[in-house]
Amino acid sequence: MVPRPVSPYAREPLIPQFYAGKSIFITGATGFMGKVLVERLLWTCPEIERIFLLMREKKEVSPEKRLAQLKQSQVFDVIREYCPGQLEKLYLIPGDTTAPNLGLSVESIGLLKEVSVVFHSAATLKFDEALNKAVDQNVRSVLSLMDICDGMPNIEALVHVSTAYSNAELSTVEERVYAAPVPLQQLLALADALPDQLAADLTPRLISPKPNTYTFTKALAENAVAERTNRKYPVAIFRPTIVISALRHPFPGWIENLNGPSGVLVAAGKGLLHFFCCKRSAKADMIPVDIAIDTLIAAAWETAVDKLDEIRVYNCSSGRNSTTWAQFEMAIKKLLIEHPLDKTYWYPSGAAVENEYLLNILQLITQTIPLHMAEYCSRMIGIKSRLSLITISERLQGMCKVLTFFSMREWDFKSDNVRKLQARLSPQDALIYNLDPNTIDWDALYVDFVKGTRKYLLKEKDQDIDEAKRHLRKMFYVHNGFLVFVTALLLRLSLHAPLVRSLVLGTLRLLFTIVSSTYSRVSS
């Protein structure tokens, strides 16, 4: 079916008009992307009716309290200032994506009958999650949600949020659902039957060639959506690449998670991570969260308008305007000095390396051994910290391990459907929703990324930046003094070896001879 063209005579933006008077159901609303989705819907669609949010009890905090905390989030600062009444359109649906039927009560299911659009963004983002847990959160939740959607009389569109890396074993990823890595029902049966230890032992072979359980279960979730052929509502699959801080909305640089590049930035900025494995020339396909969410909102609109029987897939990528890992490395090395993080443990230094074996050696010398020694010394003198430095070392190693697969490779994500969607927007909609990655100025975005990480992620205050710079200056002298000390120590130790001593002295004599000869010639 050919998408219906936008009327050239439309004077009002069509997307806010579509959402006006409609109720929305969102899973994963407390996550990084979920919060921006809620904020953008409330801000850009003032006449939206209700937004139902699925929430569970977490760390002994009730769903009701979590909703109250969500409303106080920084992401809604602009809404609280200019249109606070919009926040009253958020309604709680107590439930759990890992429970049968999402753990919904009869009353909650009754409330959802008025829903027109469903966004499913809830998932576990742990790349190394145990297989049975990843299956429960990333696959079974989709099946349960679609069962619930089947009972919604007013539903016009379901958008499943996946990842562009669900087929990471491919170098070129098209906008289509690929064959399941294993039969869905077979996997569900295995996840139920296998003991935890046996499942852990079999997981690498079972998920191969997928790099981890996250991408494996995300690919299966897409198949679960595609196999539901008896549905009576249109479905789309939305695949963003690496989602980073906001370009403009809700604020430039807004970010609230430590996944991927932001984790690397914080670890490097605190002086804990000195070496990171990546292919420096490779494309780093990162996309600002607000461009991703604007595309998601528009994709739901197009899905409802076109009413296609087949599933349309949207690969949301920075495409031809991507940055590279080398540019990312150079930017954060420069900006972490200009905008230092508070109370750094060491001076930010180091580099990207492309050899994993070299990385392991460098991390052992600059990270594992120093952090372990510092932890043991702290214990000996009675200093207690909230988080063990050994635990930090292990987490840094784990982070580098899971990210290396993605930072050492490059993909070509076909995004024809996103480009067609962008071209389809009316001029009025295009002023509201930015779907264009060509609007990204990477130099400016990196500045906002670092400043946003300080302000929104780490909650560090702008007025403390001068103190952070003074502390960084002290760390600079400590760092370089330590390098001079180690260099002198190694040189002294090496000179005790006869072979090294004769080599060094021979080199010095050769250099002296060359300099003397050059000076004599110049003088004559």
Side-chain angles (χ1 to χ4, degrees):
M1 178 177 176
V2 178
R4 292 181 293 183
V6 173
S7 169
Y9 304 106
R11 295 185 178 180
E12 297 295 327
L14 298 179
I15 295 179
Q17 183 179 338
F18 163 77
Y19 283 101
K22 288 184 170 62
S23 292
I24 313 299
F25 180 41
I26 300 175
T27 69
T30 58
F32 174 47
M33 291 182 65
K35 286 181 179 178
V36 181
L37 173 60
V38 173
E39 195 275 343
R40 291 296 286 157
L41 285 171
L42 291 176
W43 179 255
T44 66
C45 305
E47 296 180 24
I48 201 167
E49 185 67 19
R50 292 182 180 182
I51 300 180
F52 294 102
L53 308 177
L54 182 73
M55 289 189 183
R56 63 182 173 90
E57 181 177 311
K58 186 175 182 180
K59 297 179 180 178
E60 298 183 352
V61 179
S62 68
E64 291 78 10
K65 188 171 183 179
R66 291 187 68 201
L67 177 60
Q69 292 173 344
L70 176 66
K71 290 181 179 181
Q72 295 303 314
S73 172
Q74 282 181 313
V75 74
F76 300 121
D77 282 355
V78 175
I79 289 178
R80 277 195 298 272
E81 181 176 357
Y82 293 100
C83 48
Q86 287 291 87
L87 292 173
E88 300 307 313
K89 296 180 179 181
L90 302 182
Y91 288 80
L92 173 67
I93 298 292
D96 189 336
T97 55
T98 62
N101 211 34
L102 301 185
L104 300 187
S105 65
V106 174
E107 180 185 1
S108 294
I109 292 176
L111 288 173
L112 294 179
K113 289 187 180 298
E114 69 179 73
V115 166
S116 300
V117 179
V118 177
F119 294 98
H120 180 51
S121 65
T124 174
L125 301 180
K126 290 179 65 176
F127 285 179
D128 55 352
E129 184 69 90
L131 182 61
N132 60 338
K133 291 183 179 180
V135 168
D136 284 344
Q137 296 187 53
N138 293 351
V139 182
R140 293 189 198 275
S141 64
V142 176
L143 298 172
S144 296
L145 179 63
M146 295 191 78
D147 288 340
I148 294 168
C149 289
D150 289 342
M152 294 180 182
N154 297 311
I155 185 170
E156 297 182 40
L158 163 64
V159 183
H160 169 65
V161 180
S162 184
T163 171
Y165 301 96
S166 57
N167 300 285
E169 70 276 13
L170 305 175
S171 58
T172 299
V173 180
E174 299 177 354
E175 291 177 305
R176 64 181 178 90
V177 179
Y178 288 83
V182 297
L184 179 60
Q185 294 305 318
Q186 177 183 332
L187 175 74
L188 296 177
L190 283 173
D192 288 335
L194 291 177
D196 291 345
Q197 187 56 53
L198 181 57
D201 295 338
L202 292 177
T203 292
R205 281 184 290 169
L206 182 63
I207 69 174
S208 180
K210 306 288 184 186
N212 49 57
T213 56
Y214 172 70
T215 57
F216 177 74
T217 52
K218 278 297 192 179
L220 280 166
E222 292 185 7
N223 279 270
V225 172
E227 289 177 8
R228 184 67 66 96
T229 56
N230 61 344
R231 55 184 166 74
K232 297 180 180 179
Y233 48 88
V235 175
I237 294 174
F238 180 73
R239 294 180 183 151
T241 53
I242 303 171
V243 182
I244 59 169
S245 62
L247 181 66
R248 297 171 187 162
H249 305 291
F251 312 100
W254 189 85
I255 190 164
E256 210 176 57
N257 74 12
L258 278 168
N259 297 328
S262 57
V264 173
L265 192 157
V266 170
K270 290 293 185 180
L272 297 171
L273 181 69
H274 299 284
F275 295 96
F276 177 65
C277 193
C278 68
K279 186 177 179 181
R280 300 182 78 254
S281 62
K283 178 169 62 176
D285 205 324
M286 298 184 282
I287 193 78
V289 63
D290 48 340
I291 291 184
I293 293 303
D294 283 0
T295 306
L296 175 61
I297 293 171
W301 162 74
E302 184 175 55
T303 301
V305 168
D306 288 349
K307 298 181 174 63
L308 300 181
D309 291 331
E310 65 270 20
I311 292 175
R312 182 181 280 154
V313 179
Y314 297 87
N315 286 343
C316 185
S317 160
S318 54
R320 297 177 182 176
N321 190 33
S322 291
T323 186
T324 65
W325 289 113
Q327 292 168 336
F328 173 75
E329 176 201 358
M330 290 186 293
I332 65 169
K333 285 174 70 174
K334 172 177 176 287
L335 293 169
L336 285 173
I337 304 304
E338 296 177 0
H339 308 279
L341 307 184
D342 290 351
K343 299 177 181 177
T344 56
Y345 293 94
W346 198 259
Y347 188 75
S349 61
V353 296
E354 297 192 12
N355 186 290
E356 293 185 46
Y357 298 105
L358 176 60
L359 174 72
N360 291 334
I361 294 172
L362 292 172
Q363 285 187 335
L364 177 67
I365 296 171
T366 66
Q367 177 182 303
T368 306
I369 293 176
L371 288 176
H372 278 68
M373 290 179 63
E375 177 65 21
Y376 293 137
C377 291
S378 298
R379 292 178 183 178
M380 290 174 61
I381 61 178
I383 298 177
K384 295 182 179 180
S385 58
R386 289 184 300 173
L387 188 61
S388 165
L389 293 176
I390 296 176
T391 301
I392 292 175
S393 174
E394 292 171 349
R395 290 184 180 180
L396 290 174
Q397 288 179 336
M399 178 185 72
C400 290
K401 181 179 178 181
V402 298
L403 292 180
T404 294
F405 178 89
F406 301 95
S407 58
M408 286 295 292
R409 290 166 174 81
E410 186 173 311
W411 288 265
D412 178 18
F413 297 106
K414 302 299 182 183
S415 53
D416 293 341
N417 287 337
V418 172
R419 283 197 293 271
K420 290 176 183 177
L421 174 60
Q422 180 188 342
R424 186 177 181 180
L425 296 188
S426 69
Q428 293 79 11
D429 284 304
L431 290 174
I432 300 172
Y433 302 98
N434 180 16
L435 280 59
D436 187 4
N438 290 318
T439 59
I440 303 171
D441 178 342
W442 285 103
D443 290 336
L445 179 62
Y446 281 137
V447 173
D448 290 334
F449 189 11
V450 173
K451 294 169 72 173
T453 299
R454 270 187 53 87
K455 183 174 182 179
Y456 302 113
L457 179 58
L458 300 179
K459 312 298 183 184
E460 296 179 356
K461 299 177 181 178
D462 291 341
Q463 56 264 36
D464 295 335
I465 190 70
D466 290 336
E467 175 58 31
K469 289 181 178 179
R470 285 192 291 270
H471 179 73
L472 188 70
R473 203 154 35 242
K474 295 176 184 177
M475 290 294 101
F476 172 79
Y477 293 123
V478 171
H479 169 74
N480 285 283
F482 179 75
L483 291 180
V484 170
F485 170 76
V486 170
T487 302
L489 180 63
L490 292 175
L491 183 61
R492 181 178 178 82
L493 291 174
S494 63
L495 288 176
H496 283 287
L499 179 62
V500 175
R501 185 169 62 249
S502 62
L503 180 62
V504 171
L505 293 176
T507 302
L508 291 174
R509 281 196 293 268
L510 177 61
L511 289 174
F512 180 76
T513 302
I514 293 172
V515 171
S516 299
S517 176
T518 303
Y519 178 75
S520 299
R521 291 181 181 180
V522 170
S523 300
S524 61

